[in-house]
Amino acid sequence: MNDAVPGFEPVSKEDVAHLGTDPVPAGPYYEPAYFELEKAAIFRRTWMQVGHVCEIPEPGSFMVREFECADASILVTRVSDTEVRAFHNVCTHRGTILVEESAGTRSRFSCPYHKWTFANSGELLSAPDFDKFYVDKADCGLAEVAVDICAGLVFINLDPSPEQGLREFLGPIAQKLEGTPMARATAFSEYVYEVQANWKLTYDNFQENYHLRFLHPRSGEMANGPDNPFGYPERYEFFDPHRTQTIWSNPQAQPKPFQLMAFMKVAEFAMRDELDMVTRDYYGVFPNLFVLGTATTHFSQWIMPIAADRTRSVVRLYWIGEDDCASRRFAREFSLATALDIHSEDRAVIEAGHRGLASGALRHIHFQSQEALCRHLFNEVDRRVQAYKAQQQSGGDVA
Amino acid sequence: MSALPEGFEPLEPFVDGWALGSADERMRQRLASAASEREAFFNAGKDLVPAALALLDKKSFDEHDPKEERLMLLMLSMAHVAQAVEIQQDDEPMHAHYARFITITRASADDNP
């Protein structure tokens, strides 16, 4: 970049040209037909976060999550200290949704319709007047879903026989996630919002800093500076479908007085928790999760596709231990309020982006080299979609 | 009778409006309040925060009396209102317009399900 001065060296155009340099087709960012292909090619056959282990802390804990992107409702149960299971939240009698609560503690679940009752390990325990049926109870267990845990995050895969295990799928990202506060978390704060926009447009907003100075002139002041006016990252890395960036930090940033006082509290507790104070990495986990791994502003954002034009974002700040004193409680609330301010400012442009594209006005969109992560996400999505289409057209087994 | 521990009298006028029991309520009060209300609260409270936290840190939450509980809730509201007054400044109305679509569903300070 021409206007960068010594002190910050942006990633060069050549460094990321291997991802491609052509314009990207616009259709995948709004077309319902493409979203249906993504469901089949990605969301029904890829490891995806379903929650965190601290949500199911003890034997008997359970959580239910809706995966609109796969038309599925998923029940995750903790059977014992060492065993977590996941099932389709569907009674095996006639398909009724089994559990309506989003979380709780219960070791058995009764269907509201005919009282078929299941253990949290999935077996059918009892069903009224069962000898009138023509099946064995042993064949009526809940439909199991592959589940595994990394860095405290619980992942599921809706493919009945996943191509890869979770660790293999995450590759080198697994170890990086294990180093974040999330991996040791026992509690979290959370906020949720929906946008009228495609999930990739929502995700992409958080994969580039090109917009930062325009949309976050005040809240983003700390993240750019004269050496790096756009606040571009120091580095990008790509690990199969996953990607990382190392966030640049402005050495000359001057926090406001109250903000400085609050940041000092945040930093004090980060150090007390022995967090890694040096790493400033962002981890984009395919398909729909990213984690900012810095010690003092760590959060995860879970981007849940609902429809081609609707997305729910769930943002979490993970904490190690409960609030143990007033200062820690204040520091956590300040971190929550700080993160929320940044997120709220992006909403309008994400929706405006979808509206513009859905008009059909454009055949292509353009990504610059500092939007490399956006291009990488598109490449990884489209590669899977095209492979799925090819399999279907050749009549191959795509189940 | 005072609603807050001794030494925090300047915050008395803000107890009714800002001592709110959940993070979502605290954020919504920030978004719904007038600039003059936010500035009055922030200016009255900003220099009292270190002393308030030092006082509240001396006891566990279970041991806080009702006055101390109110003071804690005011400090948590300060965390929200500081974003508006100190950082967003005159951008706050535009910011508030979009932030209202966000719901805080869980906070470490709240009684969570």
Side-chain angles (χ1 to χ4, degrees):
Chain A
M1 235 182 63
N2 298 330
D3 54 341
V5 296
F8 172 75
E9 194 60 47
V11 173
S12 74
K13 286 172 80 169
E14 292 70 30
D15 281 343
V16 291
H18 65 92
L19 296 170
T21 56
D22 290 340
V24 168
Y29 290 89
Y30 68 92
E31 288 170 355
Y34 195 89
F35 185 65
E36 291 304 313
L37 287 166
E38 289 175 333
K39 281 185 177 182
I42 299 167
F43 304 132
R44 292 199 185 110
R45 58 198 326 195
T46 305
W47 289 99
M48 292 171 75
Q49 186 205 196
V50 65
H52 189 276
V53 287
C54 72
E55 294 173 87
I56 44 170
E58 53 193 25
S61 302
F62 71 90
M63 58 183 172
V64 170
R65 293 284 184 276
E66 302 307 316
F67 276 68
E68 294 91 342
C69 58
D71 303 308
S73 177
I74 304 299
L75 169 66
V76 182
T77 66
R78 181 175 285 285
V79 179
S80 70
D81 287 338
T82 55
E83 189 182 11
V84 170
R85 305 278 289 270
F87 308 95
H88 282 279
N89 180 27
V90 173
C91 176
T92 53
H93 172 211
R94 281 166 51 190
T96 310
I97 292 292
L98 182 64
V99 184
E100 292 288 353
E101 307 106 289
S102 60
T105 306
R106 210 136 47 77
S107 58
R108 49 182 62 191
F109 306 98
S110 288
C111 178
Y113 205 171
H114 304 92
K115 292 293 169 206
W116 280 35
T117 298
F118 300 87
N120 64 357
S121 50
E123 298 88 40
L124 176 61
L125 295 173
S126 64
D129 219 12
F130 194 74
D131 53 8
K132 299 281 195 301
F133 282 90
Y134 308 93
V135 289
D136 291 333
K137 275 202 187 115
D139 296 328
C140 295
L142 295 174
E144 189 133 21
V145 172
V147 62
D148 202 356
I149 294 165
C150 177
L153 297 181
V154 183
F155 289 82
I156 56 151
N157 191 324
L158 291 166
D159 189 333
S161 37
E163 269 177 27
Q164 295 174 300
L166 175 64
R167 292 274 160 170
E168 193 191 343
F169 169 70
L170 291 174
I173 289 276
Q175 200 184 356
K176 293 172 186 290
L177 293 175
E178 297 277 16
T180 65
M182 191 171 71
R184 293 161 54 203
T186 57
F188 59 91
S189 299
E190 178 189 88
Y191 52 89
V192 178
Y193 62 101
E194 291 190 6
V195 293
Q196 198 65 26
N198 185 268
W199 70 280
K200 297 186 294 302
L201 297 175
T202 308
Y203 198 149
D204 282 352
N205 180 76
F206 304 100
Q207 302 208 90
E208 52 89 355
N209 278 1
Y210 188 23
H211 74 272
L212 200 123
R213 61 189 299 187
F214 309 114
L215 290 196
H216 311 293
R218 292 271 162 67
S219 57
E221 247 172 31
M222 306 279 290
N224 52 40
D227 284 6
N228 183 5
F230 290 92
Y232 288 141
E234 291 177 4
R235 189 158 57 104
Y236 301 113
E237 281 190 280
F238 304 93
F239 302 93
D240 293 322
H242 316 296
R243 62 208 87 88
T244 71
Q245 56 181 321
T246 300
I247 308 296
W248 178 78
S249 126
N250 177 8
Q252 270 107 43
Q254 293 197 322
K256 302 279 192 288
F258 191 92
Q259 188 182 32
L260 179 63
M261 181 276 295
F263 280 164
M264 295 299 282
K265 294 271 181 204
V266 172
E268 177 192 331
F269 290 106
M271 284 188 279
R272 209 183 281 182
D273 290 339
E274 298 179 337
L275 301 188
D276 170 357
M277 303 296 284
V278 179
T279 303
R280 299 185 54 79
D281 283 351
Y282 160 113
Y283 309 110
V285 182
F286 187 82
N288 67 333
L289 172 71
F290 72 84
V291 176
L292 189 62
T294 62
T296 51
T297 44
H298 55 86
F299 67 87
S300 77
Q301 186 163 350
W302 184 14
I303 296 151
M304 289 298 278
I306 297 173
D309 62 353
R310 188 98 189 148
T311 303
R312 178 170 59 248
S313 277
V314 179
V315 180
R316 289 180 168 187
L317 291 83
Y318 285 101
W319 311 121
I320 298 164
E322 298 300 317
D323 294 0
D324 56 359
C325 65
S327 285
R328 190 188 285 270
R329 178 164 282 183
F330 169 80
R332 287 176 175 182
E333 189 97 354
F334 190 81
S335 296
L336 172 68
T338 302
L340 191 147
D341 259 39
I342 306 262
H343 277 106
S344 58
E345 292 168 357
D346 294 306
R347 178 193 178 82
V349 286
I350 297 171
E351 293 193 338
H354 188 97
R355 260 197 346 270
L357 289 174
S359 74
L362 301 184
R363 293 184 52 145
H364 293 96
I365 59 173
H366 302 280
F367 289 132
Q368 61 127 315
S369 54
Q370 297 289 345
E371 295 171 305
L373 301 189
C374 307
R375 186 185 287 276
H376 181 257
L377 173 63
F378 171 76
N379 289 352
E380 293 299 320
V381 167
D382 199 55
R383 194 157 59 75
R384 284 162 177 75
V385 165
Q386 299 312 330
Y388 175 80
K389 274 166 74 175
Q391 272 179 311
Q392 274 205 317
Q393 280 157 8
S394 69
D397 177 15
V398 293
Chain B
M1 162 144 165
S2 169
L4 295 170
E6 199 182 326
F8 298 95
E9 291 77 9
L11 289 172
E12 295 277 348
F14 305 99
V15 169
D16 283 349
W18 295 92
L20 299 166
S22 77
D24 196 59
E25 288 175 283
R26 294 187 281 274
M27 175 192 65
R28 299 217 172 272
Q29 173 63 10
R30 165 199 167 177
L31 302 180
S33 57
S36 58
E37 291 175 85
R38 288 191 296 272
E39 282 160 21
F41 176 42
F42 181 72
N43 289 331
K46 64 182 175 18
D47 296 329
L48 291 173
V49 172
L53 294 178
L55 174 79
L56 296 169
D57 279 345
K58 287 180 187 159
K59 295 186 197 172
S60 72
F61 294 115
D62 289 347
E63 294 163 340
H64 283 173
D65 64 30
K67 292 182 181 187
E68 289 160 337
E69 285 173 7
R70 281 184 214 110
L71 184 61
M72 182 75 236
L73 294 177
L74 287 180
M75 293 304 105
L76 296 177
S77 278
M78 282 295 289
H80 293 268
V81 90
Q83 308 287 338
V85 177
E86 192 181 54
I87 298 172
Q88 296 289 355
Q89 303 169 34
D90 53 1
D91 277 357
E92 175 65 6
M94 183 185 72
H95 168 266
H97 175 69
Y98 298 117
R100 72 182 197 277
F101 293 102
I102 297 183
T103 304
I104 299 176
T105 43
R106 195 167 172 130
S108 64
D110 295 356
D111 295 325
N112 294 299

